[in-house]
Amino acid sequence: MITTVIGSYPKPHYLKITDWFNATGGTDTENPTKYYEEEIKIIGSEVEEIFIRATKDVIKDQENCGIDIITDGEVRRENYIHYHCRHLNGIDFSNLTEKTARTGNYKCWLPTITNRVTAGESFLVEEWKTNQKLSNKPIKVTIPGPMTITDTIANTYYKTDEEMGYDLAEAINVEIKRLEKAGCKYIQVDEPLFARKPENALNFGIKNLEKCFANVDSTKLERITHICCGYPDKLDAVNYPKAPLDSYKKIAKALDASLIDSVSIEDAHRYNDLELLRNFTKTKVIFGLIKIASSQKETEEEIENRVLDALNYIDKQQLIAAPDCGLGHLPRQLAIEKLKIMVNVAKKI
């Protein structure tokens, strides 16, 4: 089985950037974008050197674990959503608006869309080129999706989420085409909001997701989406509100009919009814086998049994092993141990 990681990875101790995972309040922090620019200034002229060092260390960890398709760990980002938004026109990071986020779970102060959103200058291409030089394995680029950005940003310009999502998709498509031209082979658009709002996903979310990948060469680029049911606010959180598990079932057939090549879903935190996998007749499934917010390590037997159960419902060539989501909540050594266990199982199957 092929193995991959989803996105975030614990930031090295020497990279003093506040992110969702180390902020007061965890991923439910009240001010998710408050510190980033000031912390970059404090680091000063060495910031690029430190970012590259951190990325190299994160990539090395994944290589040593045996991961096939790796990421940069999103170490440059305060979170996977707002970092991208900093590079879009029409979004004001000095004008913060209080908003209830995560389907009503908490309130926070968010950057505000004050004008039509368009793509800014290219930024992910140079990052990817720099990162890819650090490894012989393919580096996957992760990008927040239109529906997920819409839920995690304030808006005083657009009348509807669908209209906002359309322009966000067009802007994302510009950057994806830049990455394709540069030679990037794996691009993942994260849409966890599909699980929280499956009706919106069916009405316009999947259409806008496809627009993100419009006019790219599918023979050269793997079009991936990640749909988890929501990060907890801290490690080992109990009874954290997550999206309904049956959300996957509601959107599976529509995703399989879309142009998406691979769909990433969580399974380790809460087991799915594996009948779900029958809905993916052509789409590959990146299957969550590691709990990303639990300090308890999975056993090889546990993971192997789950994979073998899944293979009763989907072809082996369609299944890819991965953690449920990003690994930012985990201590570095625990993340390494969990990944090695997963890879050991994948190599046997």
Side-chain angles (χ1 to χ4, degrees), residues 188-222:
Q188 174 182 295
V189 174
D190 295 327
E191 280 290 22
L193 257 289
F194 281 13
R196 292 194 178 273
K197 299 181 178 180
E199 291 76 20
N200 284 0
L202 292 171
N203 289 337
F204 58 84
I206 293 174
K207 177 179 69 176
N208 283 337
L209 173 63
E210 289 188 301
K211 180 171 284 295
C212 292
F213 289 104
N215 301 313
V216 299
D217 187 345
S218 62
T219 65
K220 296 180 180 178
L221 177 70
E222 184 82 2

Coordinates of all heavy atoms in Angstrom, one line a residue, residues 188-222:
Q188 N -3.5 18.8 -2.9 CA -4.7 18.4 -2.1 C -5.4 19.7 -1.6 O -4.8 20.6 -1.0 CB -4.1 17.7 -0.8 CG -5.2 17.4 0.2 CD -4.6 16.7 1.4 OE1 -4.1 15.6 1.3 NE2 -4.6 17.3 2.6
V189 N -6.7 19.7 -2.0 CA -7.6 20.8 -1.5 C -8.4 20.3 -0.3 O -9.2 19.4 -0.5 CB -8.5 21.3 -2.7 CG1 -9.4 22.4 -2.2 CG2 -7.6 21.9 -3.8
D190 N -8.2 21.0 0.8 CA -8.9 20.5 2.0 C -10.3 21.1 2.2 O -10.4 22.3 2.1 CB -8.0 21.0 3.2 CG -6.7 20.3 3.3 OD1 -6.6 19.1 2.9 OD2 -5.7 20.9 3.7
E191 N -11.3 20.2 2.3 CA -12.6 20.7 2.5 C -13.3 19.9 3.6 O -14.3 19.2 3.4 CB -13.4 20.4 1.2 CG -13.2 21.5 0.1 CD -13.8 22.8 0.4 OE1 -14.1 23.1 1.6 OE2 -14.1 23.6 -0.5
P192 N -12.9 20.1 4.9 CA -13.6 19.5 6.0 C -15.0 20.0 6.2 O -15.8 19.3 6.8 CB -12.7 19.9 7.2 CG -11.9 21.0 6.7 CD -11.6 20.8 5.3
L193 N -15.3 21.2 5.6 CA -16.7 21.7 5.7 C -17.7 20.8 5.0 O -18.9 20.9 5.2 CB -16.7 23.1 5.2 CG -16.8 24.2 6.3 CD1 -18.2 24.2 7.0 CD2 -15.7 24.0 7.3
F194 N -17.2 20.0 4.0 CA -18.1 19.1 3.3 C -18.8 18.1 4.3 O -19.9 17.7 4.1 CB -17.3 18.3 2.3 CG -17.1 19.0 1.0 CD1 -17.2 20.3 0.9 CD2 -16.6 18.3 -0.1 CE1 -16.9 21.0 -0.3 CE2 -16.3 18.9 -1.3 CZ -16.5 20.3 -1.4
A195 N -18.0 17.8 5.4 CA -18.6 16.9 6.4 C -19.5 17.6 7.3 O -20.5 17.0 7.8 CB -17.4 16.2 7.2
R196 N -19.2 18.9 7.6 CA -20.1 19.6 8.5 C -21.4 20.1 7.8 O -22.4 20.3 8.4 CB -19.3 20.8 9.1 CG -18.2 20.3 10.1 CD -17.7 21.5 10.9 NE -16.7 21.0 11.8 CZ -16.9 20.5 13.1 NH1 -18.2 20.4 13.5 NH2 -16.0 20.1 13.8
K197 N -21.2 20.4 6.5 CA -22.4 20.9 5.8 C -22.5 20.1 4.4 O -22.3 20.7 3.4 CB -22.2 22.4 5.5 CG -22.1 23.2 6.8 CD -21.9 24.7 6.5 CE -21.8 25.5 7.7 NZ -21.6 27.0 7.5
P198 N -22.9 18.9 4.5 CA -23.0 18.1 3.3 C -24.0 18.6 2.3 O -23.8 18.4 1.1 CB -23.4 16.7 3.8 CG -24.0 16.9 5.2 CD -23.3 18.1 5.7
E199 N -25.1 19.2 2.7 CA -26.1 19.7 1.8 C -25.5 20.8 0.9 O -25.7 20.9 -0.3 CB -27.3 20.2 2.5 CG -28.2 19.1 3.2 CD -27.6 18.6 4.4 OE1 -26.7 19.3 5.0 OE2 -27.9 17.5 4.8
N200 N -24.7 21.7 1.6 CA -24.0 22.8 0.8 C -22.9 22.2 -0.1 O -22.7 22.6 -1.2 CB -23.3 23.8 1.7 CG -24.3 24.7 2.4 OD1 -25.5 24.7 2.1 ND2 -23.8 25.6 3.2
A201 N -22.3 21.1 0.3 CA -21.3 20.4 -0.5 C -22.0 19.9 -1.8 O -21.4 20.1 -2.9 CB -20.7 19.3 0.2
L202 N -23.2 19.3 -1.6 CA -23.9 18.8 -2.8 C -24.4 19.9 -3.7 O -24.4 19.8 -4.9 CB -25.0 17.9 -2.3 CG -24.6 16.6 -1.6 CD1 -25.8 15.9 -1.0 CD2 -23.9 15.6 -2.6
N203 N -24.9 21.0 -3.1 CA -25.5 22.1 -3.8 C -24.5 22.9 -4.6 O -24.8 23.3 -5.8 CB -26.3 23.0 -2.9 CG -27.5 22.3 -2.4 OD1 -28.1 21.4 -3.0 ND2 -28.0 22.8 -1.2
F204 N -23.3 23.2 -4.0 CA -22.3 24.0 -4.7 C -20.9 23.7 -4.4 O -20.0 24.1 -5.1 CB -22.6 25.5 -4.5 CG -22.7 26.0 -3.1 CD1 -21.5 26.3 -2.4 CD2 -23.9 26.1 -2.4 CE1 -21.5 26.7 -1.1 CE2 -23.9 26.5 -1.1 CZ -22.7 26.9 -0.5
G205 N -20.7 23.0 -3.2 CA -19.3 22.8 -2.8 C -18.4 22.0 -3.7 O -17.3 22.3 -4.0
I206 N -19.0 20.9 -4.1 CA -18.2 20.0 -5.0 C -18.0 20.6 -6.4 O -16.9 20.5 -7.0 CB -19.0 18.6 -5.1 CG1 -18.9 17.9 -3.8 CG2 -18.3 17.7 -6.2 CD1 -19.7 16.6 -3.8
K207 N -19.0 21.4 -6.8 CA -18.8 22.1 -8.1 C -17.7 23.1 -8.0 O -16.8 23.2 -8.9 CB -20.1 22.8 -8.4 CG -20.1 23.7 -9.7 CD -21.4 24.4 -10.0 CE -21.7 25.4 -8.9 NZ -23.0 26.2 -9.2
N208 N -17.6 23.8 -6.9 CA -16.5 24.8 -6.7 C -15.2 24.1 -6.5 O -14.1 24.6 -6.9 CB -16.8 25.7 -5.5 CG -17.8 26.8 -5.9 OD1 -17.9 27.1 -7.1 ND2 -18.5 27.4 -4.9
L209 N -15.2 22.9 -5.8 CA -14.0 22.1 -5.7 C -13.4 21.7 -7.1 O -12.2 21.8 -7.3 CB -14.2 20.9 -4.9 CG -13.1 19.8 -4.8 CD1 -11.9 20.4 -4.1 CD2 -13.6 18.6 -4.0
E210 N -14.3 21.3 -8.0 CA -13.9 20.9 -9.3 C -13.3 22.1 -10.0 O -12.4 22.0 -10.8 CB -15.1 20.4 -10.1 CG -15.5 19.0 -9.6 CD -16.6 18.4 -10.5 OE1 -17.6 19.0 -10.7 OE2 -16.3 17.3 -11.1
K211 N -13.9 23.3 -9.8 CA -13.4 24.5 -10.4 C -12.0 24.8 -10.0 O -11.2 25.3 -10.8 CB -14.3 25.7 -10.1 CG -13.8 27.0 -10.7 CD -14.9 28.1 -10.5 CE -16.0 28.0 -11.5 NZ -15.6 28.1 -12.9
C212 N -11.6 24.4 -8.8 CA -10.2 24.6 -8.3 C -9.2 23.9 -9.2 O -8.1 24.3 -9.4 CB -10.1 24.1 -6.9 SG -10.9 25.0 -5.6
F213 N -9.7 22.7 -9.8 CA -8.8 21.9 -10.6 C -9.2 22.0 -12.1 O -8.7 21.2 -12.9 CB -9.0 20.4 -10.2 CG -8.3 20.1 -8.9 CD1 -9.1 19.9 -7.8 CD2 -6.9 20.0 -8.8 CE1 -8.5 19.6 -6.5 CE2 -6.3 19.7 -7.6 CZ -7.1 19.5 -6.4
A214 N -9.9 23.1 -12.5 CA -10.3 23.2 -13.9 C -9.1 23.4 -14.8 O -8.1 24.1 -14.4 CB -11.3 24.4 -14.0
N215 N -9.1 22.8 -15.9 CA -8.1 23.0 -17.0 C -6.7 22.6 -16.5 O -5.7 23.3 -16.9 CB -8.2 24.4 -17.5 CG -9.5 24.8 -18.0 OD1 -10.1 24.1 -18.8 ND2 -10.0 26.0 -17.6
V216 N -6.6 21.6 -15.7 CA -5.3 21.0 -15.4 C -5.2 19.6 -16.1 O -6.2 19.0 -16.3 CB -5.0 20.9 -13.9 CG1 -5.0 22.3 -13.3 CG2 -6.0 20.0 -13.2
D217 N -4.0 19.2 -16.3 CA -3.8 17.9 -17.0 C -3.8 16.8 -16.0 O -2.9 16.6 -15.2 CB -2.5 17.9 -17.7 CG -2.2 16.7 -18.6 OD1 -3.0 15.7 -18.5 OD2 -1.3 16.7 -19.4
S218 N -4.9 16.0 -16.0 CA -5.1 14.9 -15.0 C -4.1 13.8 -15.2 O -3.9 12.9 -14.3 CB -6.5 14.4 -15.1 OG -6.7 13.8 -16.4
T219 N -3.4 13.7 -16.3 CA -2.3 12.7 -16.5 C -1.0 13.1 -15.8 O -0.2 12.2 -15.6 CB -2.0 12.5 -18.0 OG1 -1.5 13.7 -18.6 CG2 -3.3 12.1 -18.8
K220 N -0.9 14.4 -15.4 CA 0.3 14.8 -14.8 C 0.1 15.2 -13.3 O 1.1 15.3 -12.6 CB 0.8 16.1 -15.5 CG 1.3 15.8 -17.0 CD 1.8 17.1 -17.6 CE 2.2 16.9 -19.0 NZ 2.7 18.1 -19.7
L221 N -1.2 15.3 -12.9 CA -1.5 15.9 -11.6 C -2.5 15.0 -10.9 O -3.5 14.7 -11.5 CB -2.0 17.3 -11.7 CG -2.4 18.0 -10.4 CD1 -1.2 18.3 -9.5 CD2 -3.1 19.3 -10.7
E222 N -2.2 14.6 -9.6 CA -3.2 13.9 -8.8 C -4.1 14.9 -8.1 O -3.6 15.8 -7.3 CB -2.5 13.0 -7.8 CG -3.4 12.1 -7.0 CD -3.9 10.9 -7.7 OE1 -3.4 10.6 -8.8 OE2 -4.6 10.1 -7.1

